[in-house]
Amino acid sequence: MKKILIVLCFAIISPTMLLADEGMWLPMLLKKYNEKDMQKKGFRLTAEDLYSVNKASLKDAIVQFGGGCTGELVSAEGLLLTNHHCGYRQIQSHSSLENNYLEYGFWAKTRSEELPNPGLTVKFLVRMNDVTDRILEGITDQTPEDERIKLVNERSKAVAKESETEKGYTSIVKPIYYGNQYILYVYEEFTDVRLVGTPPDAIGKFGGDSDNWMWPRHTGDFSVFRIYAGKDNKPASYSTDNVPYKPKKYFHISLKGVNQNDFTFIYGFPGTTQEYIPSYAVEMLMQHNPHKIALRDQRLDIINADMAKDESTRIKYASKQNSIANAWKKWQGELKGLDRLNAVQKKQAEEQQFISWTSQNAERTTRYGKVLNQLKDVYANMNEVSLVNDYYREAIMGVELLKFCSDLAKIIDKKQLPEELIKQAERLTGYTTSNFFKDYIQSIDKRVFTAMFSSYHKNIAKPYHPEYYTLLYTECGNSIDRLADKVFRETKLLDEEYLTKLLNNKDATLILNSIRTDIAYRLFSSFNQMMKDKVDEVLKSHKNKANLLQRTYMSGLMEMEPNKSFYPDANSTLRVAYGYVDGFYPTDGVRYKHYTTLDGVIEKAMLPADDYRIPEKLKQLHANRDYGRYTNTKGELPVGFIATNHTTGGNSGSPILNGTGELVGINFDRCWESTMSDIMFDPDYCRNISVDIRYVLFVIDKYAGAKHLIDEMTIAK
């Protein structure tokens, strides 16, 4: 197959052509393509210090935390730092009115007090390898896409399985450049990860929704965990006999801080970017995101109102509210940024350049001449079902009762022997008690149901209204309010005692019939079946076509501009991004400096908003200027700073490192003006936000009095 020089593309990129700020780079290619450029800008190590398979390197101090964040090791005994919001679900799960760790924080004084977290895992990257030749062997441009997908999936699974040679190893093959290249990632996964410490929400979540995605920022967004292993230092299920993990490498911590124009780099697991999609895809995103924002607006209004009235409700819904609000605000900033950049028009200009280039010779015309028109047609055909899919996920699955039904469906809709179903139903009993009912309030969910179904009914075309939903709606006099009353009155799935008895029943037929005939389950099932019949396969087909065409378009772009640096889109794998500490101009006449201090926390605390309340002890420490050794040269206590590193979701919790590889901060956000960087990077606005490591240490030491944790770390002289 003609690989369109994708694999060789890096070889013709001069390091001097690389942008310092834009890009998320593969660690295994740093030596060849980024090392010299990084060193010119202030990097004092080598690429092998960051990534090596032959000796310990900084990659061995970094984990993918919980599948969606990053964490870093800071001691020889498995001590791990990540964001407060990354550990929030675990913190919330341990909290109650009696032990309100959200309100007051938590600090284990001894190892025996560290709290286990069932289901939480961390993964270290062992190695990565280019396996393109094995995956694409015999596949040509003429291979039908369905056959290609089948072959790629089969070979990817086989290659991954071959590499899982040791206890705790897990592997995956992932595409880059839309399937022009394939990389194998081998991980070591640990399942015993315990909560060691967390500041209260008033520090770890300071600023709340008001400051989320914003700068200036004053949030102490960190939490502390510890990895445990078996006595052989290998992954092991939770046991009191497990011991703290001994890492191959951990980060030393710098108290020197950062200054304007200092070189920094970030090493973590960025989630997803789409830097090379065409104008048609950007246009569809900008049309659909307002719908998703509006749906989350309604859910947040309902949840926030009840959380403000009652402390028990605030505890139960803290993690859910946080999850809903995060993307809600990000999407708003993304739309604003794309509009400011005239993103669609810029993409269209690039496409005109591509059309002009392809028309210059017959070979290009044959290979690339139709691809943009074909992409345009695919996105036009995808538009309707994509919007339905958004409403299903945001509105229908935004109702907790129906989301719970989808969990039940994973058991009862499987083809399995009766005894297997009974065993799975018994296991689900624990989930219903410890997860669903523990943090569920029916009155909130009922109001969410009414709001979500009203929006779905209004904005989604009738062909996507399931038959059973239409029947109930008609029976209820065409009233969503009455429909909500009927569903929540008649369902038995919200009766915990009834459901527990049912799931523990030994009669598989009774379990199946009781759930399948329940009004809530039937309603969920009707939407789920509609999605299967009218949306899922259609949308999948369009996406497959778009991916095939995007792969060709990507190849053409790289052939058209051989001297341009085309970094691969993020895909939740380990990457390095680098840049400088720098402020920016968010609006005309306004300049943001590059750092914030505790003085700013106190200033905000004078405002009446609940988002800005702070603990009395923090006020007292500020009043006494009792900052210990964690100040800057001006005697200020730094809280946060910004830099030009290219980040996205998944980089939360990533280490921010100085030129000598010392830990100076923990990444936790982007500036609101730069959230469009998943699609289009703007060096004038794109800034990542980090909590200064000195503030982290100050909170642990001076606020929490957990000096034993400081003593465990290595503070660079």
Side-chain angles (χ1 to χ4, degrees):
M1 178 185 182
K2 186 178 181 183
K3 296 180 189 172
I4 321 304
L5 303 180
I6 299 297
V7 178
L8 299 177
C9 174
F10 280 111
I12 56 176
I13 299 171
S14 166
T16 59
M17 296 175 184
L18 301 178
L19 295 174
D21 307 332
E22 182 177 3
M24 301 173 181
W25 307 98
L26 295 172
M28 71 177 186
L29 296 175
L30 292 174
K31 177 71 177 176
K32 196 169 185 179
Y33 307 116
N34 299 84
E35 183 182 67
K36 289 182 180 178
D37 186 61
M38 292 175 71
Q39 289 171 342
K40 285 180 181 178
K41 294 172 171 66
F43 184 56
R44 298 293 174 255
L45 302 175
T46 67
E48 193 173 19
D49 291 324
L50 302 190
Y51 176 84
S52 175
V53 294
N54 300 313
K55 65 176 185 178
S57 58
L58 292 187
K59 77 169 174 61
D60 300 312
I62 301 167
V63 297
Q64 187 173 46
F65 182 90
C69 283
T70 302
E72 52 273 0
L73 277 293
V74 290
S75 89
E77 299 198 55
L79 199 66
L80 180 152
L81 296 178
T82 188
N83 287 154
H84 180 263
H85 76 261
C86 291
Y88 203 66
R89 188 173 67 82
Q90 285 73 37
I91 298 164
Q92 185 268 336
S93 71
H94 290 297
S95 297
S96 63
L97 286 174
E98 294 75 26
N99 294 299
N100 192 344
Y101 301 139
L102 300 176
E103 179 73 20
Y104 301 109
F106 166 79
W107 301 96
K109 296 181 177 64
T110 64
R111 302 281 167 86
S112 63
E113 293 181 1
E114 295 174 358
L115 301 175
N117 300 283
L120 176 61
T121 65
V122 297
K123 296 193 298 187
F124 292 89
L125 178 68
V126 177
R127 68 177 186 276
M128 55 193 298
N129 302 100
D130 189 327
V131 292
T132 308
D133 289 342
R134 287 192 62 184
I135 301 301
L136 296 182
E137 183 180 2
I139 295 176
T140 69
D141 290 344
Q142 284 69 49
T143 303
E145 187 67 3
D146 287 345
E147 183 181 343
R148 185 190 196 277
I149 292 170
K150 181 173 180 291
L151 288 170
V152 166
N153 288 341
E154 289 174 351
R155 293 171 183 178
S156 295
K157 289 177 182 177
V159 169
K161 189 172 182 180
E162 287 172 14
S163 66
E164 295 174 355
T165 55
E166 293 190 31
K167 177 184 177 183
Y169 275 25
T170 178
S171 303
I172 190 169
V173 173
K174 287 198 170 188
I176 58 175
Y177 303 120
Y178 296 91
N180 280 294
Q181 192 171 349
Y182 289 84
I183 307 294
L184 166 71
Y185 300 87
V186 182
Y187 299 97
E188 187 173 28
E189 184 172 40
F190 288 80
T191 57
D192 186 356
V193 186
R194 305 182 195 179
L195 178 63
V196 175
T198 176
D201 276 3
I203 292 175
K205 208 182 167 189
F206 179 80
D209 289 338
S210 300
D211 281 5
N212 193 20
W213 299 101
M214 307 300 285
W215 183 259
R217 197 69 172 275
H218 300 83
T219 312
D221 195 347
F222 77 94
S223 55
V224 189
F225 289 79
R226 191 185 304 278
I227 304 170
Y228 280 78
K231 293 180 180 177
D232 58 357
N233 208 40
K234 294 293 183 182
S237 300
Y238 171 79
S239 169
T240 54
D241 293 329
N242 286 350
V243 296
Y245 171 67
K246 305 290 185 185
K248 298 174 185 175
K249 196 84 171 176
Y250 66 91
F251 288 108
H252 293 191
I253 296 171
S254 172
L255 294 183
K256 295 177 183 177
V258 293
N259 296 303
Q260 178 72 25
N261 297 323
D262 278 358
F263 172 84
T264 64
F265 68 101
I266 183 169
Y267 208 174
F269 290 86
T272 304
T273 58
Q274 303 177 82
E275 303 290 344
Y276 308 109
I277 56 175
S279 61
Y280 326 113
V282 177
E283 210 164 14
M284 188 174 79
L285 179 147
M286 294 181 73
Q287 290 170 359
H288 289 190
N289 272 10
H291 289 271
K292 296 192 291 185
I293 292 166
L295 290 168
R296 292 203 174 196
D297 250 330
Q298 295 176 72
R299 290 165 68 192
L300 286 169
D301 285 347
I302 293 165
I303 292 170
N304 288 341
D306 278 35
M307 287 178 69
K309 295 175 187 175
D310 178 65
E311 183 65 11
S312 176
T313 301
R314 193 184 80 80
I315 293 171
K316 287 184 176 184
Y317 273 76
S319 182
K320 297 173 186 176
Q321 192 273 354
N322 190 62
S323 178
I324 296 166
N326 196 48
W328 163 78
K329 194 164 186 178
K330 186 254 188 184
W331 291 331
Q332 294 177 65
E334 184 175 74
L335 283 175
K336 184 177 179 181
L338 291 172
D339 185 61
R340 185 188 68 244
L341 286 172
N342 294 314
V344 172
Q345 291 83 353
K346 284 186 178 179
K347 289 283 186 180
Q348 289 172 341
E350 292 172 3
E351 289 156 10
Q352 285 303 313
Q353 181 186 359
F354 184 80
I355 290 168
S356 175
W357 174 78
T358 59
S359 67
Q360 290 173 11
N361 69 49
E363 184 181 353
R364 291 178 197 165
T365 302
T366 300
R367 182 165 179 79
Y368 303 121
K370 297 179 181 179
V371 68
L372 282 171
N373 280 334
Q374 290 171 329
L375 276 166
K376 182 179 181 180
D377 290 342
V378 167
Y379 281 101
N381 293 330
M382 190 192 303
N383 186 61
E384 184 176 61
V385 288
S386 180
L387 185 64
V388 176
N389 184 62
D390 286 341
Y391 267 83
Y392 175 75
R393 295 185 183 282
E394 291 293 328
I396 306 305
M397 289 296 98
V399 178
E400 293 178 78
L401 171 59
L402 299 188
K403 180 66 172 66
F404 181 53
C405 288
S406 75
D407 294 329
L408 293 173
K410 293 170 186 174
I411 290 179
I412 70 168
D413 285 353
K414 276 185 172 182
K415 292 183 179 179
Q416 55 191 322
L417 296 173
E419 55 268 26
E420 292 173 344
L421 184 143
I422 290 169
K423 287 180 182 178
Q424 290 195 50
E426 288 174 349
R427 284 195 289 270
L428 189 63
T429 304
Y431 165 78
T432 61
T433 302
S434 62
N435 289 72
F436 182 72
F437 286 111
K438 175 180 177 290
D439 297 320
Y440 179 74
I441 298 175
Q442 184 173 323
S443 60
I444 291 177
D445 199 29
K446 184 179 176 184
R447 296 201 304 279
V448 168
F449 180 104
T450 302
M452 295 299 95
F453 271 75
S454 295
S455 292
Y456 188 99
H457 191 90
K458 176 182 177 182
N459 294 304
I460 297 301
K462 290 292 191 292
Y464 302 102
H465 291 198
E467 185 178 344
Y468 184 64
Y469 161 71
T470 302
L471 175 65
L472 290 179
Y473 180 71
T474 304
E475 285 181 2
C476 293
N478 298 338
S479 168
I480 297 294
D481 285 323
R482 292 180 187 173
L483 173 61
D485 288 338
K486 181 178 179 65
V487 171
F488 280 82
R489 182 178 65 250
E490 295 183 11
T491 183
K492 292 184 177 181
L493 299 181
L494 294 178
D495 183 332
E496 185 175 359
E497 182 179 353
Y498 163 82
L499 190 60
T500 300
K501 287 181 180 178
L502 177 64
L503 294 174
N504 282 312
N505 198 287
K506 303 303 179 185
D507 186 338
T509 302
L510 177 65
I511 295 173
L512 286 171
N513 290 341
S514 298
I515 294 175
R516 285 176 175 168
T517 57
D518 185 272
I519 187 172
Y521 188 86
R522 289 184 68 188
L523 183 60
F524 154 75
S525 187
S526 70
F527 276 95
N528 192 45
Q529 191 61 49
M530 179 277 295
M531 291 294 291
K532 290 178 181 178
D533 292 343
K534 297 183 178 181
V535 177
D536 291 347
E537 289 304 314
V538 176
L539 186 58
K540 181 181 176 182
S541 175
H542 289 320
K543 285 184 175 180
N544 285 345
K545 290 175 184 175
N547 194 58
L548 167 63
L549 294 166
Q550 185 70 38
R551 189 162 62 241
T552 303
Y553 181 47
M554 186 84 230
S555 301
L557 287 174
M558 298 178 86
E559 189 177 331
M560 181 177 73
E561 298 186 78
N563 292 325
K564 179 180 176 179
S565 54
F566 288 88
Y567 55 89
D569 271 320
N571 61 356
S572 296
T573 59
L574 194 61
R575 303 291 180 90
V576 173
Y578 55 98
Y580 298 105
V581 174
D582 191 18
F584 71 107
Y585 293 90
T587 56
D588 183 45
V590 177
R591 167 74 179 177
Y592 283 156
K593 70 178 183 180
H594 65 278
Y595 74 102
T596 58
T597 70
L598 187 60
D599 293 339
V601 175
I602 301 302
E603 289 171 2
K604 285 183 175 178
M606 295 178 184
L607 299 172
D610 189 56
D611 282 343
Y612 298 126
R613 63 191 179 91
I614 61 172
E616 286 301 319
K617 185 173 182 179
L618 189 63
K619 292 180 183 178
Q620 194 60 50
L621 288 166
H622 174 266
N624 297 335
R625 299 286 163 174
D626 188 5
Y627 301 154
R629 54 178 171 161
Y630 306 116
T631 61
N632 61 18
T633 56
K634 296 179 181 180
E636 301 165 321
L637 178 63
V639 171
F641 64 91
I642 53 175
T644 61
N645 302 306
H646 192 176
T647 64
T648 187
N651 274 129
S652 291
S654 296
I656 303 296
L657 306 162
N658 63 18
T660 54
E662 296 165 337
L663 186 65
V664 294
I666 306 173
N667 183 78
F668 69 92
D669 213 345
R670 281 173 284 171
C671 296
W672 197 53
E673 294 84 357
S674 67
T675 53
M676 75 291 166
S677 62
D678 290 349
I679 297 156
M680 187 172 286
F681 189 88
D682 181 355
D684 291 333
Y685 286 87
C686 288
R687 300 292 184 271
N688 67 298
I689 306 175
S690 303
V691 57
D692 195 299
I693 198 64
R694 291 170 293 184
Y695 189 55
V696 172
L697 299 182
F698 162 81
V699 172
I700 294 173
D701 185 357
K702 305 297 289 185
Y703 175 82
K707 190 174 182 299
H708 60 287
L709 298 179
I710 303 293
D711 294 340
E712 195 177 324
M713 305 175 196
T714 300
I715 310 295
K717 302 298 183 184

